[in-house]
Amino acid sequence: MFDTLSDRLTSVLQNLRGKGKLSDADIDATAREIRIALLEADVALPVVREFISHIKERAKGEEVSQALNPAQQVIKIVNEELVAILGGETRRLNLAKNPPTVIMLAGLQGSGKTTLAGKLATWLKKQGHAPLLVACDLQRPNAVTQLQVVGERAGVATFAPEPGNGVGDPVDVAKRSIEEAKHAQHDVVVVDTAGRLGVDEELMRQAADIRDAVEPDETLFVVDAMIGQDAVTTAEAFRDGVGFTGVVLTKLDGDARGGAALSVRQVTGEPILFASNGEKLEDFDVFHPDRMASRILG
Ligand code: GDP
């Protein structure tokens, strides 16, 4: 994903090397180039503005270090600011004091929710949990089967409406899944919800109804990092319509410019908990802002 951005930033910062002292003009020129690199990577404008203003302020300020030369100093500042827009500290999954922990997945169709359910289940199993996947996407004909297949691959149980009962009510399925989890001693419930191709009110209302019925410990907004600026508008719509406690970035293995990944935390104010970077169940990990920043700075 961040190849172009990474190359650009590395070369901008490379230009500073060897300079004994940085003038305000040097810092302004560097900031301008970083700004262009971020905009070209599709980072949302307000995020770029804030980022650049922090960099300038800090680079021109009193941050003198004996140990670092001026170029290293700027690199350090850029790195720290990248970590900050990505969320600062790693945010761990919030587990309920009284199991089951309920995790609800929300996002557009195709964002990778069902795939994520399987990845999350695999990861949770490795952490010693006994997850239950719940099929509340009853809109798309194949969604239930797809979740069951993913569950089988991950080696975890799936809760779905009984076949032959019509389309079924996702709120009812969600409620009953909690009883099932208690009964069968699943300590984490992962609820997959319906997604549409675009944001729509009915989808939001349904997700909100499921949320009210199961009171999730975490509502994770799943967003395809390849959709660029749309990620930000979609995130805002979901924040206002359903609300969420964390973000999962998917398709970080794609060759898009990656601006979504860099904007969504700052714009929504909610932390990125996990990142997905492939179609296999193992292509998934906890999101670490510091590691992502290091990756971008090469
Ligand atoms: P849903 O509609 O939100 O449930 O999305 P799906 O889980 O069905 O995913 C949509 C498509 O994206 C499928 O073809 C997945 O294999 C693919 N996909 C999901 N996550 C990733 C990822 O991290 N990387 C890549 N390359 N593809 C992914």
Side-chain angles (χ1 to χ4, degrees), residues 108 110-115 119 146 251 253 276-279:
L108 295 182
S111 58
K113 283 185 301 301
T114 309
T115 312
K119 290 174 172 182
Q146 195 193 339
K251 311 193 192 178
D253 52 315
S276 261
N277 59 350
E279 296 190 62

Side-chain angles (χ1 to χ4, degrees), residues 4 16 30 50 56 69 87 94 103 119 123 155 167 186 215 217 223 230 240 257-258 266 268 272-273 275 290:
T4 317
L16 294 176
T30 304
E50 195 173 331
K56 280 194 189 169
N69 66 37
N94 188 15
I103 303 172
K119 290 174 172 182
W123 180 85
V167 175
H186 293 283
E215 298 180 349
D217 300 284
V223 61
D230 279 353
D240 300 343
R257 295 170 288 175
Q266 191 90 340
T268 65
I272 304 167
L273 266 66
D290 53 347

Side-chain angles (χ1 to χ4, degrees), residues 9 12 27-39 43-60 77-78 81-82 85 266:
L9 289 180
V12 171
I27 293 166
D28 287 340
T30 304
R32 216 164 21 245
E33 289 188 52
I34 295 176
R35 183 174 194 278
I36 296 169
L38 292 172
L39 288 173
V43 180
L45 188 58
V47 178
V48 175
R49 284 207 182 113
E50 195 173 331
F51 187 83
I52 295 300
S53 106
H54 285 177
I55 302 278
K56 280 194 189 169
E57 205 174 293
R58 291 186 56 189
K60 290 180 185 175
I77 292 171
V78 173
E81 291 297 326
L82 267 181
I85 61 169
Q266 191 90 340

Side-chain angles (χ1 to χ4, degrees), residues 197-213:
L197 289 174
V199 172
D200 85 37
E201 272 187 29
E202 200 191 326
L203 155 78
M204 292 295 176
R205 206 171 316 118
Q206 187 184 85
D209 288 346
I210 296 175
R211 177 203 65 203
D212 293 345

Side-chain angles (χ1 to χ4, degrees), residues 171-183:
V171 176
D172 176 57
V173 172
K175 272 194 210 151
R176 285 192 290 122
S177 76
I178 308 295
E179 294 312 310
E180 168 66 14
K182 287 181 185 158
H183 172 74

